[in-house]
Amino acid sequence: MSQQQDDAAFTALQTEIKDAYHQQPLEQPSAELDEAILAKARSGANVTKATSSVKKSIWQRNAWVFSSAASVLLLAGLFILNPSLQKQFGTDLDQHLPEPSASFKPLKSKADAPQVSESLIEDNTAAESIAVQELSMSSEPMDTQSVNRQSVNEESSNESTEAANITGSVASQMADKSSAEISAAPANVNPQAQKKALQLQSSRHAKEVQQVKQSFNGSLKGDIELDTADVALERLTVLMADNKLIEAERYMITIDQRFPELSDPSHPLYEQYHKIVLQLTSQ
Amino acid sequence: MVPTLIQSKDALPKDDILVPQVGSDEQLMLDYQAGNISAFDALYRKHKGPLYRYFVRQLRDQQLAEDLYQDTWGKVIHASSQYQVSAKFTTWLYKIAHNLLIDHVRAVKPLDKVTPLGEDKTMDSLQADDQTSPEPQVEQQQQANMIKGCIAKLPAVQKEAFLLNIEMGMTAAMISDIANVTLEATKSRIRYAYQSIKQCIANQLQETI
């Protein structure tokens, strides 16, 4: 009851003061202030219009998408159009891929070599055989090196055959070079000298061909002569005769890897090799 | 157009989504957002007096009051591009004004605390004073002159609540939202403000007699 009276009294008081308040002259902002604010509102409306129109731009809203797509397209275009990049990329990939079967074989034998070498440290002969095997299993440039070694030996013994020491492609290059020199020589050069040079060149070629033939026939001495099945079989026979069975067994494994054709019954040395193998495996 | 929420520093709670009526403050603001300058003109003419007095009555420094008044409208203009309706425009407008007042004045000089009325100063006693006043017309004129001085003597928080109530007819709930205080505290401030003014006028009338 008292609360209601209080509220009613307060409402009356509020009305009374409100009436009195609004009867008095009330302050208003100056005309200058009004004009300044309205001018700001007008400029603000223009700015708002401009910003809203820019915000609706599709390029601004999707800037991320467009820039990403452009970057991807640029990269893809570079890879497609630039072959050197493709090659480089392919090379990088190849470095991480496993080796192809052709090149894998020598790598495998080289990887196996340290194991074999460790087991053969006590025997110099067996170690030598492994070295021979590595040499024989190496690719064409290695054979050229062997021929080079042969040529160097000959050079030390005979100075007059200096031209014959240059082998393979090097000799050919030199021959081509000398031919080129001859052809490029002036016309007033002595014809006899030219003839001698040509003879020297032809003799170089003949010597080179002979060396290659000898290396293939196994008539040359040194490491290269072991690179045949019959020589390896002879060495194995010698090891058996000397009763060096352990070395012979290891050498047999080497022969198996190097000359798998010996296991072919149609091979002329098959029976001889098979006999030695039987002897080794039966012990 | 379906208005949604106000996204500004001075935004209000986003639970009530209002549909502005034609000619309402909210609709005028949306029209201004769409580029209609005359809508802002109408909005400004409607609110300029109360807002101006909101600052002038609370600040003794006239220049500072005008600066803050201008700043308030500047914020309204600036925020108009992001304006979305979620509460009454007046609530939003005076919340901006209140924050500016806090930033510029109250941060420097803390407000006076609410001074409650004494035991003997009840509504009944105020009513009794009113009954002993002189002739109505003279009293009314005197009261109008005295009110201004009495408002100036109010504590700041009461003054703000009183001005918002008497100028714009805001309820205690709206004022509590603007001033960021509880509803009960706002009700107390309004009540004490009116009682203090009544007491102040009565005292001055007695002095003149």
Side-chain angles (χ1 to χ4, degrees), chain A residues 245-259:
Chain A
L245 297 177
I246 296 173
E247 296 155 19
E249 191 176 351
R250 288 168 183 167
Y251 195 59
M252 182 193 72
I253 295 168
T254 306
I255 289 173
D256 273 339
Q257 292 174 350
R258 177 64 186 90
F259 307 109

PDB file of all heavy atoms in Angstrom, chain A residues 245-259:
ATOM      1  N   LEU A 245      91.349 -74.803 -51.409  1.00  0.00           N
ATOM      2  CA  LEU A 245      89.928 -75.075 -51.640  1.00  0.00           C
ATOM      3  C   LEU A 245      89.034 -73.868 -51.292  1.00  0.00           C
ATOM      4  O   LEU A 245      88.058 -73.589 -52.000  1.00  0.00           O
ATOM      5  CB  LEU A 245      89.501 -76.301 -50.825  1.00  0.00           C
ATOM      6  CG  LEU A 245      90.207 -77.609 -51.215  1.00  0.00           C
ATOM      7  CD1 LEU A 245      89.771 -78.740 -50.305  1.00  0.00           C
ATOM      8  CD2 LEU A 245      89.916 -77.974 -52.664  1.00  0.00           C
ATOM      9  N   ILE A 246      89.396 -73.220 -50.212  1.00  0.00           N
ATOM     10  CA  ILE A 246      88.563 -72.067 -49.806  1.00  0.00           C
ATOM     11  C   ILE A 246      88.602 -70.985 -50.873  1.00  0.00           C
ATOM     12  O   ILE A 246      87.582 -70.426 -51.294  1.00  0.00           O
ATOM     13  CB  ILE A 246      89.042 -71.528 -48.447  1.00  0.00           C
ATOM     14  CG1 ILE A 246      88.844 -72.599 -47.382  1.00  0.00           C
ATOM     15  CG2 ILE A 246      88.288 -70.247 -48.061  1.00  0.00           C
ATOM     16  CD1 ILE A 246      89.440 -72.246 -46.034  1.00  0.00           C
ATOM     17  N   GLU A 247      89.855 -70.710 -51.304  1.00  0.00           N
ATOM     18  CA  GLU A 247      89.995 -69.693 -52.344  1.00  0.00           C
ATOM     19  C   GLU A 247      89.313 -70.140 -53.629  1.00  0.00           C
ATOM     20  O   GLU A 247      88.685 -69.325 -54.332  1.00  0.00           O
ATOM     21  CB  GLU A 247      91.469 -69.415 -52.595  1.00  0.00           C
ATOM     22  CG  GLU A 247      92.147 -68.817 -51.373  1.00  0.00           C
ATOM     23  CD  GLU A 247      93.649 -69.087 -51.369  1.00  0.00           C
ATOM     24  OE1 GLU A 247      94.172 -69.405 -52.453  1.00  0.00           O
ATOM     25  OE2 GLU A 247      94.261 -68.988 -50.302  1.00  0.00           O
ATOM     26  N   ALA A 248      89.447 -71.424 -53.906  1.00  0.00           N
ATOM     27  CA  ALA A 248      88.832 -71.960 -55.126  1.00  0.00           C
ATOM     28  C   ALA A 248      87.309 -71.835 -55.076  1.00  0.00           C
ATOM     29  O   ALA A 248      86.661 -71.497 -56.082  1.00  0.00           O
ATOM     30  CB  ALA A 248      89.229 -73.425 -55.287  1.00  0.00           C
ATOM     31  N   GLU A 249      86.764 -72.073 -53.890  1.00  0.00           N
ATOM     32  CA  GLU A 249      85.310 -71.970 -53.741  1.00  0.00           C
ATOM     33  C   GLU A 249      84.840 -70.526 -53.968  1.00  0.00           C
ATOM     34  O   GLU A 249      83.846 -70.266 -54.661  1.00  0.00           O
ATOM     35  CB  GLU A 249      84.905 -72.442 -52.346  1.00  0.00           C
ATOM     36  CG  GLU A 249      83.417 -72.627 -52.192  1.00  0.00           C
ATOM     37  CD  GLU A 249      83.062 -73.189 -50.819  1.00  0.00           C
ATOM     38  OE1 GLU A 249      83.992 -73.581 -50.086  1.00  0.00           O
ATOM     39  OE2 GLU A 249      81.875 -73.211 -50.503  1.00  0.00           O
ATOM     40  N   ARG A 250      85.569 -69.597 -53.383  1.00  0.00           N
ATOM     41  CA  ARG A 250      85.217 -68.176 -53.563  1.00  0.00           C
ATOM     42  C   ARG A 250      85.373 -67.763 -55.023  1.00  0.00           C
ATOM     43  O   ARG A 250      84.569 -66.995 -55.565  1.00  0.00           O
ATOM     44  CB  ARG A 250      86.083 -67.305 -52.664  1.00  0.00           C
ATOM     45  CG  ARG A 250      85.694 -67.431 -51.216  1.00  0.00           C
ATOM     46  CD  ARG A 250      86.720 -66.807 -50.310  1.00  0.00           C
ATOM     47  NE  ARG A 250      86.365 -66.986 -48.916  1.00  0.00           N
ATOM     48  CZ  ARG A 250      87.179 -66.771 -47.904  1.00  0.00           C
ATOM     49  NH1 ARG A 250      88.433 -66.393 -48.137  1.00  0.00           N
ATOM     50  NH2 ARG A 250      86.777 -66.941 -46.670  1.00  0.00           N
ATOM     51  N   TYR A 251      86.438 -68.273 -55.605  1.00  0.00           N
ATOM     52  CA  TYR A 251      86.682 -67.935 -57.006  1.00  0.00           C
ATOM     53  C   TYR A 251      85.599 -68.535 -57.902  1.00  0.00           C
ATOM     54  O   TYR A 251      85.200 -67.943 -58.907  1.00  0.00           O
ATOM     55  CB  TYR A 251      88.067 -68.445 -57.408  1.00  0.00           C
ATOM     56  CG  TYR A 251      88.551 -67.831 -58.700  1.00  0.00           C
ATOM     57  CD1 TYR A 251      88.696 -66.434 -58.805  1.00  0.00           C
ATOM     58  CD2 TYR A 251      88.869 -68.602 -59.808  1.00  0.00           C
ATOM     59  CE1 TYR A 251      89.138 -65.862 -59.979  1.00  0.00           C
ATOM     60  CE2 TYR A 251      89.303 -68.042 -60.986  1.00  0.00           C
ATOM     61  CZ  TYR A 251      89.443 -66.663 -61.068  1.00  0.00           C
ATOM     62  OH  TYR A 251      89.870 -66.094 -62.233  1.00  0.00           O
ATOM     63  N   MET A 252      85.116 -69.697 -57.471  1.00  0.00           N
ATOM     64  CA  MET A 252      84.037 -70.338 -58.218  1.00  0.00           C
ATOM     65  C   MET A 252      82.761 -69.460 -58.185  1.00  0.00           C
ATOM     66  O   MET A 252      82.064 -69.310 -59.199  1.00  0.00           O
ATOM     67  CB  MET A 252      83.728 -71.706 -57.616  1.00  0.00           C
ATOM     68  CG  MET A 252      82.644 -72.464 -58.361  1.00  0.00           C
ATOM     69  SD  MET A 252      82.076 -73.843 -57.397  1.00  0.00           S
ATOM     70  CE  MET A 252      81.172 -73.031 -56.121  1.00  0.00           C
ATOM     71  N   ILE A 253      82.504 -68.903 -57.028  1.00  0.00           N
ATOM     72  CA  ILE A 253      81.336 -68.007 -56.909  1.00  0.00           C
ATOM     73  C   ILE A 253      81.500 -66.810 -57.851  1.00  0.00           C
ATOM     74  O   ILE A 253      80.569 -66.386 -58.538  1.00  0.00           O
ATOM     75  CB  ILE A 253      81.177 -67.542 -55.448  1.00  0.00           C
ATOM     76  CG1 ILE A 253      80.845 -68.736 -54.562  1.00  0.00           C
ATOM     77  CG2 ILE A 253      80.095 -66.479 -55.321  1.00  0.00           C
ATOM     78  CD1 ILE A 253      80.960 -68.454 -53.074  1.00  0.00           C
ATOM     79  N   THR A 254      82.736 -66.317 -57.866  1.00  0.00           N
ATOM     80  CA  THR A 254      83.013 -65.188 -58.746  1.00  0.00           C
ATOM     81  C   THR A 254      82.779 -65.566 -60.200  1.00  0.00           C
ATOM     82  O   THR A 254      82.192 -64.807 -60.978  1.00  0.00           O
ATOM     83  CB  THR A 254      84.465 -64.739 -58.550  1.00  0.00           C
ATOM     84  OG1 THR A 254      84.681 -64.483 -57.171  1.00  0.00           O
ATOM     85  CG2 THR A 254      84.762 -63.485 -59.350  1.00  0.00           C
ATOM     86  N   ILE A 255      83.248 -66.740 -60.560  1.00  0.00           N
ATOM     87  CA  ILE A 255      83.072 -67.195 -61.949  1.00  0.00           C
ATOM     88  C   ILE A 255      81.592 -67.364 -62.260  1.00  0.00           C
ATOM     89  O   ILE A 255      81.129 -67.015 -63.362  1.00  0.00           O
ATOM     90  CB  ILE A 255      83.848 -68.519 -62.159  1.00  0.00           C
ATOM     91  CG1 ILE A 255      85.357 -68.224 -62.154  1.00  0.00           C
ATOM     92  CG2 ILE A 255      83.443 -69.194 -63.459  1.00  0.00           C
ATOM     93  CD1 ILE A 255      86.222 -69.475 -62.191  1.00  0.00           C
ATOM     94  N   ASP A 256      80.840 -67.871 -61.265  1.00  0.00           N
ATOM     95  CA  ASP A 256      79.396 -68.040 -61.467  1.00  0.00           C
ATOM     96  C   ASP A 256      78.730 -66.717 -61.817  1.00  0.00           C
ATOM     97  O   ASP A 256      77.844 -66.648 -62.671  1.00  0.00           O
ATOM     98  CB  ASP A 256      78.753 -68.616 -60.198  1.00  0.00           C
ATOM     99  CG  ASP A 256      78.810 -70.130 -60.222  1.00  0.00           C
ATOM    100  OD1 ASP A 256      78.963 -70.685 -61.330  1.00  0.00           O
ATOM    101  OD2 ASP A 256      78.701 -70.749 -59.137  1.00  0.00           O
ATOM    102  N   GLN A 257      79.188 -65.694 -61.095  1.00  0.00           N
ATOM    103  CA  GLN A 257      78.582 -64.381 -61.328  1.00  0.00           C
ATOM    104  C   GLN A 257      79.058 -63.768 -62.636  1.00  0.00           C
ATOM    105  O   GLN A 257      78.284 -63.154 -63.360  1.00  0.00           O
ATOM    106  CB  GLN A 257      78.938 -63.436 -60.165  1.00  0.00           C
ATOM    107  CG  GLN A 257      78.280 -63.836 -58.855  1.00  0.00           C
ATOM    108  CD  GLN A 257      78.765 -62.988 -57.688  1.00  0.00           C
ATOM    109  OE1 GLN A 257      79.724 -62.227 -57.825  1.00  0.00           O
ATOM    110  NE2 GLN A 257      78.127 -63.161 -56.561  1.00  0.00           N
ATOM    111  N   ARG A 258      80.339 -63.962 -62.904  1.00  0.00           N
ATOM    112  CA  ARG A 258      80.918 -63.282 -64.068  1.00  0.00           C
ATOM    113  C   ARG A 258      80.615 -64.037 -65.371  1.00  0.00           C
ATOM    114  O   ARG A 258      80.322 -63.430 -66.392  1.00  0.00           O
ATOM    115  CB  ARG A 258      82.444 -63.176 -63.863  1.00  0.00           C
ATOM    116  CG  ARG A 258      83.167 -62.556 -65.019  1.00  0.00           C
ATOM    117  CD  ARG A 258      82.737 -61.089 -65.222  1.00  0.00           C
ATOM    118  NE  ARG A 258      83.338 -60.531 -66.413  1.00  0.00           N
ATOM    119  CZ  ARG A 258      82.787 -60.570 -67.621  1.00  0.00           C
ATOM    120  NH1 ARG A 258      81.619 -61.171 -67.798  1.00  0.00           N
ATOM    121  NH2 ARG A 258      83.383 -60.017 -68.657  1.00  0.00           N
ATOM    122  N   PHE A 259      80.717 -65.347 -65.303  1.00  0.00           N
ATOM    123  CA  PHE A 259      80.509 -66.163 -66.516  1.00  0.00           C
ATOM    124  C   PHE A 259      79.380 -67.152 -66.291  1.00  0.00           C
ATOM    125  O   PHE A 259      79.619 -68.370 -66.161  1.00  0.00           O
ATOM    126  CB  PHE A 259      81.808 -66.914 -66.894  1.00  0.00           C
ATOM    127  CG  PHE A 259      83.002 -65.999 -67.019  1.00  0.00           C
ATOM    128  CD1 PHE A 259      84.019 -66.011 -66.089  1.00  0.00           C
ATOM    129  CD2 PHE A 259      83.088 -65.113 -68.089  1.00  0.00           C
ATOM    130  CE1 PHE A 259      85.107 -65.173 -66.209  1.00  0.00           C
ATOM    131  CE2 PHE A 259      84.190 -64.261 -68.208  1.00  0.00           C
ATOM    132  CZ  PHE A 259      85.197 -64.279 -67.268  1.00  0.00           C
TER     133      PHE A 259
END
